[in-house]
Amino acid sequence: LGTSRSSLFLVYSTVQKMHDAFECIPVVEKLPIQIESIAACGSTLLVGTSKGHLLLYEISSPGDVPSQKFKVELKRTNRNFAKKPIVQLEVIAELGIIISLSDNLVSIHDLDTFGLRCALQKSKGATLFSIDFQVSRPFNVSPPIYQLRMCVVVRRKLELLEWRDGGFEELKADLGLPDIAKSIAWCGDCLCVGFRKDYMLLKTATGETSDLFPTGKQQEPLITPVANGQLALGKDDLSIYVDAASGKPTQRHATTWSEIPVCLAYSQPYLIAVLPS
């Protein structure tokens, strides 16, 4: 999914065209309010706005209408979800929760009712968070086991949390940073942190860090987890692939874009970029 200030676009995989892996089509246009964040889960799309409103859309295929590729319905609206812009959203449907960042505070809401479960007071001053959600079935035992970890950036430190018994608890002591993180991503038991000028790899178990390379001319450092424990890191108009455990390059050649990407997403085996033009 992609967004402009007042419209939403769906980028979906298509097999009809031999040389086009994806097609981009508008699904919601000219909303009377500015979009700040989006999160998708299955056919459900959540939209956070500049006024703190939360919108829930259901996207489905119309089936019998050839000219219409998708049907979009606004199912629910909560105008009192937050008092300030909702700058980040994540949905964990298996746990029935929404994780949001607004007014520099991370909050947990119920996915079914939109009701507030808790606000993580320790996260006050937060500017960014990243989650790692894993589902496992050891020995094919039912029900599945869910593991949810979250890293919250608060000034020059990282707060590491884990979901236990219906709430977040501290996973380990806070980790200090040399600067304020602009981007961050989990990859296994490592975190890749992007600062204004460079990237750093951090092992959560030991706190050991490794400096990687400069970010180049781009405004924001871009970190995208890809397949096989790799990360795609942005440097100017390049995406450089590194091993998340060692930080060493995994491919001889980087991916070169026609412009410096604004953001990146990965849908195996494709790396997708939003370019300024």
Side-chain angles (χ1 to χ4, degrees):
L1 282 159
T3 175
S4 64
R5 288 298 186 182
S6 62
S7 302
L8 293 167
F9 300 87
L10 182 64
V11 181
Y12 73 102
S13 180
T14 174
V15 296
Q16 284 80 12
K17 298 180 180 179
M18 184 176 296
H19 302 293
D20 292 341
F22 293 89
E23 184 176 352
C24 180
I25 62 169
V27 289
V28 179
E29 294 187 277
K30 298 180 180 178
L31 285 175
I33 194 168
Q34 183 173 306
I35 299 168
E36 291 287 340
S37 56
I38 58 175
C41 181
S43 60
T44 299
L45 170 65
L46 289 174
V47 178
T49 74
S50 60
K51 292 188 176 181
H53 302 172
L54 186 69
L55 314 176
L56 187 148
Y57 291 91
E58 191 74 21
I59 300 176
S60 59
S61 175
D64 56 349
V65 185
S67 61
Q68 188 178 357
K69 293 182 178 178
F70 292 97
K71 180 181 179 182
V72 182
E73 291 183 88
L74 178 62
K75 291 291 188 179
R76 274 191 290 160
T77 301
N78 187 330
R79 295 179 179 272
N80 301 308
F81 188 83
K83 294 180 180 179
K84 296 289 182 68
I86 305 168
V87 298
Q88 193 174 352
L89 278 174
E90 291 285 354
V91 181
I92 312 295
E94 292 86 347
L95 300 177
I97 60 172
I98 303 168
I99 306 172
S100 65
L101 175 60
S102 178
D103 198 16
N104 300 112
L105 187 69
V106 177
S107 299
I108 315 301
H109 287 75
D110 188 276
L111 179 58
D112 293 327
T113 66
F114 288 172
L116 177 66
R117 288 197 183 184
C118 68
L120 303 181
Q121 294 302 322
K122 190 186 174 186
S123 72
K124 190 170 292 185
T127 52
L128 180 68
F129 70 84
S130 177
I131 65 166
D132 175 57
F133 182 60
Q134 303 292 331
V135 181
S136 61
R137 288 180 179 269
F139 309 108
N140 294 320
V141 175
S142 186
I145 296 174
Y146 303 125
Q147 182 187 37
L148 173 60
R149 298 180 295 178
M150 179 165 62
C151 177
V152 183
V153 177
V154 181
R155 301 178 185 89
R156 294 193 179 193
K157 67 178 181 179
L158 301 180
E159 297 179 357
L160 302 180
L161 308 168
E162 187 174 38
W163 185 263
R164 300 173 191 158
D165 301 322
F168 277 107
E169 297 182 12
E170 187 176 278
L171 180 60
K172 63 176 301 175
D174 296 348
L175 299 172
L177 296 174
D179 199 355
I180 298 174
K182 297 293 186 181
S183 62
I184 192 165
W186 289 88
C187 193
D189 290 325
C190 294
L191 284 163
C192 187
V193 185
F195 302 108
R196 187 171 62 88
K197 293 184 177 181
D198 54 13
Y199 294 100
M200 182 182 78
L201 198 61
L202 187 151
K203 295 182 179 179
T204 57
T206 63
E208 179 185 353
T209 62
S210 303
D211 294 330
L212 299 180
F213 50 81
T215 58
K217 299 177 182 178
Q218 58 193 30
Q219 293 184 346
E220 296 291 335
L222 296 180
I223 306 172
T224 310
V226 295
N228 303 319
Q230 299 178 90
L231 296 163
L233 306 181
K235 182 180 181 181
D236 297 331
D237 59 349
L238 304 176
S239 289
I240 301 171
Y241 301 93
V242 301
D243 180 78
S246 66
K248 295 181 180 180
T250 58
Q251 299 184 24
R252 180 176 297 180
H253 301 289
T255 297
T256 303
W257 307 97
S258 58
E259 298 178 80
I260 297 176
V262 176
C263 65
L264 292 171
Y266 180 71
S267 178
Q268 192 172 7
Y270 300 102
L271 189 63
I272 306 166
V274 174
L275 303 179
S277 60

